[in-house]
Amino acid sequence: MVTLLSLLLVSTFTLDYFAVKLGLISNYFTLIPELFSLLIALLIVGRSIVLRQWEQPLRYVWFFVSFVLVCMIGVVAEAVDPGPLVSGLRNYFKFFPLLLLPAVYKFSEKQLRIVLAIFLLMAALQVPLAFFQRFVQFSDSMHTGDPITGTVTVSSSLTLVLCLAIALVITLYIHRKIALFLTLMLFCYLAAPTAINETKATLLLLPVAILGPFFLARGVEKKWRKAVPILGICVFGLVVFAAVYNAMIAARWGGTGITDFFSGGAYEYYLYRGSEEGDFVHKAGRLDSVILPISILSDSWMQLLFGLGIGNVSPSALPGMEGAYFELGKDYGFGMTAAGNLIWEIGVIGLVLYLLLFVLIWRDVRRCAVIDKDPEASWYYTWWSTCVLIFVFGLAYKAVLQLNELGYLFFLLSGVIASRYWRLRHSSDSAPAAQKEILPRLKLAGR
């Protein structure tokens, strides 16, 4: 199983890059992660039937059933064509097998350590590639950081991946798994690309990744004393980000720097541009991409509640799989944010269901932090609580549910947390036996 998951994670970080960015392989190779998802789904069905076990709260199953019903209503109501329907199934259901897999398969500590090691390796590889893209490959585009993506889909996805890795480093430091010097070195290394890829949300994401573990860590003595050098490096990082942004990217905003971008009110136009139906002059901002589908679909309560059908507003790299409302969505900000995409294709009810899923995951990880008495597992809950906050922000910031490098990892580890909570609540053994559970214990040399 760990081999399968390792191949899946590596493929999510590399196939799109080789196929779409470099054109070295066919675009059909980008379907490989979906094939892995299908294989995992078959394994879930087979193991649940043979073993007759389901070690995960049933509320996740009910969520999945509700989500399927909502999608079916939209598909039937809008008579979605087969091509867009297949595309929609890929986009909306490819991550769920990873969420449900831990219910029928118990991961060992070694297996989870391998998964986390692969994620950190993939994150670390983004740094030299990002600098190569900035100063060599795309050196003629120094006014913008949009091409600086590493191997992932877009520049903002690169920032999200690196912030997850930074949150892990800070968490390990708080829980005394790594020393301060190594923490500062890793922080500077992982944060460097966020200063050159023009992701203004770094000013919000980076503090969340750094401060989140301090607020969410439980049972750590004198944790705020350890925060002093980290706060210092956080302030230093934000200052460096502003300086680099002003020096390399300011030309994109008419000669104004990042400070003027916020103080001068340009951020308001960046987030909300007041676009309305029939207005093709102003490109939609982040908030416009969420408000516009509500405004446009409000003429039909059915479309507002259940959307226009999965895949029916989405573009596609494969011929014949574009949605019937593809042109409409392109004009009104589809693809900009996950929240807006959900409203367009599965309606307000679909968005509410996804928000409910994040609430369920958050509640389970915080409950595990309370009832699990294993001190070697507490760092995992601290880190994943921070990651959930970052992903919730991502719903209104980027189309995170279409980014394979983020979605597969998030759903897999969230499923591990859900199953961990179920086993903690249903274990008939004593507390020491519960400490033998599946979360990885880091034992680093010299610590």
Side-chain angles (χ1 to χ4, degrees):
M1 182 60 69
V2 70
T3 302
L4 177 63
L5 293 177
S6 299
L7 291 174
L8 173 60
L9 288 179
V10 172
S11 68
T12 60
F13 275 91
T14 57
L15 290 181
D16 278 3
Y17 178 67
F18 288 119
V20 179
K21 302 288 180 62
L22 300 182
L24 298 178
I25 58 177
S26 171
N27 283 349
Y28 287 98
F29 278 94
T30 61
L31 299 177
I32 290 179
E34 281 83 354
L35 295 179
F36 281 132
S37 294
L38 179 59
L39 177 59
I40 292 172
L42 295 176
L43 289 174
I44 293 172
V45 174
R47 288 182 66 89
S48 62
I49 293 175
V50 173
L51 302 179
R52 295 185 179 182
Q53 68 177 23
W54 191 265
E55 298 181 345
Q56 199 174 76
L58 288 179
R59 51 180 169 266
Y60 289 96
V61 177
W62 289 117
F63 163 81
F64 179 72
V65 171
S66 301
F67 188 79
V68 171
L69 291 176
V70 169
C71 292
M72 288 177 59
I73 292 173
V75 167
V76 173
E78 296 296 327
V80 179
D81 292 333
L85 178 58
V86 172
S87 178
L89 291 173
R90 288 181 55 210
N91 289 335
Y92 289 95
F93 291 92
K94 58 186 176 183
F95 299 139
F96 286 118
L98 277 295
L99 178 67
L100 302 177
L101 176 61
V104 297
Y105 185 89
K106 186 175 180 180
F107 290 92
S108 67
E109 296 177 9
K110 181 179 179 181
Q111 289 174 323
L112 285 178
R113 284 199 299 268
I114 292 174
V115 170
L116 292 179
I118 291 175
F119 166 69
L120 285 176
L121 175 62
M122 292 294 103
L125 290 176
Q126 307 306 310
V127 178
L129 182 56
F131 277 87
F132 171 79
Q133 291 171 337
R134 184 64 179 181
F135 297 105
V136 180
Q137 186 176 5
F138 301 110
S139 59
D140 57 340
S141 303
M142 294 295 286
H143 66 287
T144 175
D146 290 347
I148 316 305
T149 63
T151 65
V152 300
T153 311
V154 291
S155 60
S156 51
S157 177
L158 173 61
T159 297
L160 286 166
V161 168
L162 293 174
C163 284
L164 295 180
I166 290 171
L168 177 55
V169 170
I170 300 300
T171 299
L172 295 178
Y173 165 70
I174 294 173
H175 289 268
R176 299 181 177 88
K177 302 297 181 182
I178 59 177
L180 175 61
F181 177 76
L182 180 59
T183 301
L184 297 180
M185 293 295 294
L186 290 175
F187 170 82
C188 293
Y189 179 79
L190 294 170
T194 65
I196 61 174
N197 71 345
E198 201 220 355
T199 305
K200 289 169 280 295
T202 300
L203 295 176
L204 177 61
L205 287 170
L206 197 58
V208 172
I210 293 174
L211 300 178
F214 284 98
F215 284 100
L216 298 172
R218 296 181 62 92
V220 179
E221 296 180 359
K222 302 177 181 179
K223 63 179 179 180
W224 289 108
R225 291 186 181 181
K226 302 171 72 68
V228 175
I230 300 300
L231 290 175
I233 197 66
C234 177
V235 174
F236 172 76
L238 294 177
V239 171
V240 170
F241 172 84
V244 173
Y245 189 101
N246 291 342
M248 303 182 65
I249 313 172
R252 188 168 184 175
W253 292 98
T256 60
I258 190 66
T259 305
D260 295 331
F261 173 77
F262 286 97
S263 62
Y267 74 94
E268 297 177 0
Y269 182 74
Y270 173 77
L271 294 175
Y272 179 68
R273 303 179 182 182
S275 300
E276 298 178 355
E277 184 176 0
D279 181 8
F280 300 103
V281 177
H282 300 98
K283 184 179 178 181
R286 292 288 192 272
L287 293 179
D288 295 289
S289 69
V290 179
I291 295 174
L292 280 171
I294 296 177
S295 174
I296 294 172
L297 300 180
S298 60
D299 293 336
S300 169
W301 67 267
M302 190 73 174
Q303 291 181 339
L304 179 62
L305 293 181
F306 298 100
L308 298 174
I310 55 173
N312 218 19
V313 195
S314 300
S316 177
L318 302 177
M321 301 187 73
E322 299 88 355
Y325 297 96
F326 161 62
E327 294 294 337
L328 175 67
K330 182 176 66 175
D331 292 333
Y332 293 115
F334 182 86
M336 183 171 291
T337 62
N341 291 0
L342 290 172
I343 297 173
W344 275 115
E345 295 197 328
I346 53 178
V348 174
I349 293 180
L351 175 60
V352 171
L353 279 177
Y354 248 104
L355 292 176
L356 176 61
L357 175 63
F358 279 90
V359 171
L360 294 178
I361 295 171
W362 170 266
R363 188 172 63 172
D364 283 350
V365 69
R366 298 314 296 165
R367 285 177 172 177
C368 283
V370 174
I371 66 177
D372 192 349
K373 304 306 179 182
D374 183 0
E376 294 296 331
S378 59
W379 68 269
Y380 187 77
Y381 307 129
T382 301
W383 175 52
W384 205 241
S385 299
T386 306
C387 292
V388 172
L389 292 180
I390 293 175
F391 269 86
V392 169
F393 170 78
L395 287 177
Y397 166 62
K398 201 64 185 176
V400 292
L401 299 179
Q402 295 180 351
L403 303 175
N404 287 353
E405 60 270 12
L406 293 170
Y408 281 110
L409 178 74
F410 179 78
F411 277 74
L412 171 63
L413 297 184
S414 295
V416 170
I417 284 289
S419 295
R420 169 73 172 183
Y421 174 69
W422 187 94
R423 294 183 180 111
L424 287 171
R425 291 296 303 268
H426 292 80
S427 175
S428 59
D429 299 328
S430 60
Q435 293 177 2
K436 298 178 182 178
E437 278 291 349
I438 62 174
L439 294 181
R441 298 170 172 82
L442 294 186
K443 296 181 180 179
L444 303 182
R447 300 298 298 166

